């Protein structure tokens, strides 16, 4: 796994102003940006924002999302492949990627290039392996519990770990707010 990553630092290293500027980018622009200037911390942020773009595209027209080609979805998958090629050992990337495929697999139903069940099983296994190896890292436990946790673990997370969650997602960005809901 990548060294020199303190998972207790903010998970997404950007502030509201940076997020606002980046949020305006389509997945095509995000992909172009990542191909030109590759940085691991920036990749994690941009990958998560590409996921939000995919969500927006899905919500605009759910029925047509599966019937028509989605440019945002196509570029999201390109960004995913770029991440798998260059970020395959980055813990933050693995956590967010696994979370997306385990909780948002419906984006990939009826997709010839992606079999959602296969991805979900693979990503759950990745989370399990990270949890076994890094169970002392709160970020790993957080994502593991979100995907694989029992009701009891979720209640404990919600009740007793709010301070740690706020340390992991301390900013007033959409990305941080999303994960503060848990």
């Amino acid at each position: 796994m990548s060294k020199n990553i303190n998972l207790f630092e903010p998970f997404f290293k950007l502030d509201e102003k940076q997020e606002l500027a980046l949020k305006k980018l389509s997945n095509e622009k995000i992909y172009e940006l990542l191909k030109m200037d590759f940085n691991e911390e920036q990749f994690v942020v941009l990958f998560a924002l590409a996921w939000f773009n995919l969500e927006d595209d899905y919500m605009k027209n759910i029925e047509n999302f599966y019937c028509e080609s989605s440019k945002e979805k196509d570029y999201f998958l390109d960004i995913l492949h770029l991440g798998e090629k260059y970020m395959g050992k980055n813990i933050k990337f693995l956590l967010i990627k696994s979370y997306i495929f385990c909780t948002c697999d419906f984006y990939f139903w009826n997709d010839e290039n992606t079999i959602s069940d296969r991805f979900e099983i693979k990503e759950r296994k990745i989370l399990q392996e990270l949890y076994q190896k890094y169970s002392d890292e709160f970020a790993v436990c957080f994502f593991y519990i979100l995907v694989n946790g029992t009701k009891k673990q979720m209640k404990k997370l919600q009740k007793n770990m709010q301070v740690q969650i706020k340390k992991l997602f301390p900013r007033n960005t959409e990305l941080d707010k999303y994960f503060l809901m848990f």
Side-chain angles (χ1 to χ4, degrees):
M1 297 294 155
S2 293
K3 296 184 181 191
N4 301 322
I5 290 182
N6 180 353
L7 296 178
F8 287 99
E9 291 178 350
F11 194 84
F12 299 110
K13 294 191 177 185
L14 82 160
D15 59 31
E16 298 90 40
K17 190 175 180 180
Q18 292 167 318
E19 184 188 58
L20 187 60
L22 293 172
K23 186 77 175 117
K24 295 176 184 176
L25 298 177
S26 67
N27 283 355
E28 179 179 10
K29 295 292 183 194
I30 289 172
Y31 180 68
E32 291 171 8
L33 180 63
L34 288 171
K35 282 180 26 181
M36 288 187 307
D37 182 27
F38 193 87
N39 166 301
E40 286 193 7
E41 287 296 333
Q42 179 181 337
F43 190 94
V44 171
V45 168
L46 291 173
F47 181 65
L49 289 174
W51 164 47
F52 275 26
N53 287 344
L54 184 62
E55 171 71 16
D56 290 345
D57 193 45
Y58 173 79
M59 293 305 291
K60 283 179 189 170
N61 194 338
I62 295 170
E63 291 176 20
N64 286 339
F65 185 83
Y66 298 110
C67 301
E68 300 173 0
S69 178
S70 165
K71 193 173 181 181
E72 293 297 328
K73 184 177 178 180
D74 292 343
Y75 276 104
F76 176 82
L77 292 172
D78 289 341
I79 295 164
L80 170 69
H81 295 304
L82 194 63
E84 288 178 332
K85 183 175 181 179
Y86 297 107
M87 300 279 290
K89 294 185 179 186
N90 181 292
I91 295 171
K92 287 183 178 182
F93 171 72
L94 293 172
L95 291 172
I96 195 71
K97 176 177 71 94
S98 294
Y99 176 80
I100 291 168
F101 275 93
C102 290
T103 60
C104 303
D105 64 322
F106 53 88
Y107 294 144
F108 309 101
W109 292 345
N110 298 329
D111 190 331
E112 334 173 324
N113 301 321
T114 310
I115 302 169
S116 63
D117 290 341
R118 179 175 53 93
F119 269 106
E120 184 179 354
I121 291 166
K122 175 185 165 194
E123 298 305 325
R124 283 187 189 278
K125 184 178 177 193
I126 289 171
L127 276 175
Q128 180 69 38
E129 290 168 359
L130 287 171
Y131 183 70
Q132 288 172 347
K133 191 170 184 178
Y134 300 101
S135 61
D136 57 331
E137 293 287 355
F138 179 72
V140 174
C141 293
F142 176 78
F143 281 96
Y144 176 80
I145 291 170
L146 288 182
V147 172
N148 293 319
T150 63
K151 286 183 182 181
K152 185 178 177 181
Q153 287 173 315
M154 281 298 287
K155 284 182 181 181
K156 183 179 176 185
L157 182 70
Q158 292 167 337
K159 184 178 179 184
N160 301 330
M161 300 181 183
Q162 287 301 311
V163 171
Q164 289 172 293
I165 295 171
K166 287 178 183 174
K167 285 181 184 177
L168 198 58
F169 305 105
R171 297 193 173 101
N172 195 30
T173 63
E174 280 188 59
L175 290 171
D176 281 2
K177 287 178 190 176
Y178 175 87
F179 287 103
L180 284 175
M181 292 189 307
F182 298 102

